[in-house]
Amino acid sequence: MSETTEVIKELLESINVDGNYRTESLELLEKGESRYLRDFKVNFNSTLSSEHLSAKEIGLIGVSIAINNQNKPLLAYYTSFSEANGASAEEIAEAVACASLLASNNVFYRFRHFTQKEKYTQIPARIRMQIMMKPVTGKEFFELLSLAVSAVNGCEMCVNAHEDSLIKLGTTEERIFDAVRIASLITATGKVIY
């Protein structure tokens, strides 16, 4: 077994996927004996720890980003990781709900931002967002989830609004940065394992 195949097998098994499973992306990386796979494995493993986020929070970010990116293997992994680190069914459901709500918000507010037309800011959004008022995970963490999803979806207006809210809530920039870093690496993982 080549070193490349061994790295793929170890990574897949670490996320509870059969070591022989292959996506088109994995096949191409394996065939080309890509050195990237070592970085890929290290990057994925770095999503599992943080000096600024608890393991439960990391898992819930993983759930939200996996839902956002429609990634079944990563959703299963981060759901299990969340549960193993104390997340309740309600908290996991809220991470799912956040991804869904932010999908609509990110499209809508990105449209408003792109068009730069005053008229569109005067028309009511008519998007129900009651979950944001009293989140099970707490206001600060729901804002952090919202920021991470918004960063992945590329909504500048949403990223700025959620980051501003987090700073006003007393969240450190290191905590914000780590949430986005983890979201970016989960997204990168999903380009290869899906």
Side-chain angles (χ1 to χ4, degrees):
M1 183 180 307
S2 74
E3 179 184 347
T4 301
T5 301
E6 187 62 35
V7 169
I8 291 171
K9 184 176 186 216
E10 287 173 13
L11 178 61
L12 289 171
E13 289 175 353
S14 75
I15 62 168
N16 304 319
V17 173
D18 182 329
N20 295 316
Y21 174 79
R22 294 295 182 273
T23 62
E24 293 85 353
S25 299
L26 277 174
E27 286 176 354
L28 292 169
L29 289 168
E30 186 174 27
K31 183 179 177 182
E33 297 185 23
S34 177
R35 293 176 299 139
Y36 171 66
L37 284 165
R38 281 175 282 198
D39 291 342
F40 181 72
K41 182 180 171 189
V42 169
N43 288 342
F44 172 77
N45 287 332
S46 79
T47 70
L48 305 177
S49 64
S50 166
E51 294 176 20
H52 309 285
L53 299 164
S54 70
K56 178 171 91 170
E57 290 172 329
I58 290 168
L60 292 172
I61 290 169
V63 167
S64 206
I65 300 304
I67 285 290
N68 184 70
N69 298 344
Q70 300 178 349
N71 189 297
K72 288 182 182 181
L74 293 180
L75 176 59
Y77 177 77
Y78 284 107
T79 299
S80 177
F81 184 87
S82 297
E83 291 168 339
N85 286 287
S88 68
E90 290 170 317
E91 291 169 323
I92 292 168
E94 191 164 89
V96 172
C98 182
S100 177
L101 174 60
L102 270 290
S104 66
N105 285 359
N106 293 160
V107 169
F108 182 78
Y109 289 104
R110 205 167 46 227
F111 165 77
R112 276 187 171 175
H113 178 75
F114 287 163
T115 61
Q116 300 286 314
K117 289 188 176 180
E118 183 64 30
K119 177 69 174 179
Y120 295 131
T121 64
Q122 296 169 2
I123 301 170
R126 297 183 60 207
I127 298 172
R128 188 168 169 93
M129 299 182 248
Q130 289 299 309
I131 194 169
M132 288 182 144
M133 298 300 111
K134 293 182 183 174
V136 174
T137 56
K139 182 71 172 156
E140 189 270 352
F141 187 69
F142 196 88
E143 285 288 335
L144 199 61
L145 275 178
S146 299
L147 172 65
V149 173
S150 295
V152 169
N153 290 341
C155 180
E156 179 182 355
M157 180 182 252
C158 299
V159 166
N160 287 331
H162 292 297
E163 195 267 351
D164 183 60
S165 293
L166 284 161
I167 295 299
K168 287 176 180 169
L169 288 168
T171 306
T172 65
E173 290 172 330
E174 290 81 7
R175 183 168 162 77
I176 293 166
F177 186 87
D178 235 15
V180 174
R181 177 188 66 80
I182 288 169
S184 74
L185 293 172
I186 293 168
T187 299
T189 302
K191 300 298 182 186
V192 176
I193 298 171
Y194 44 88

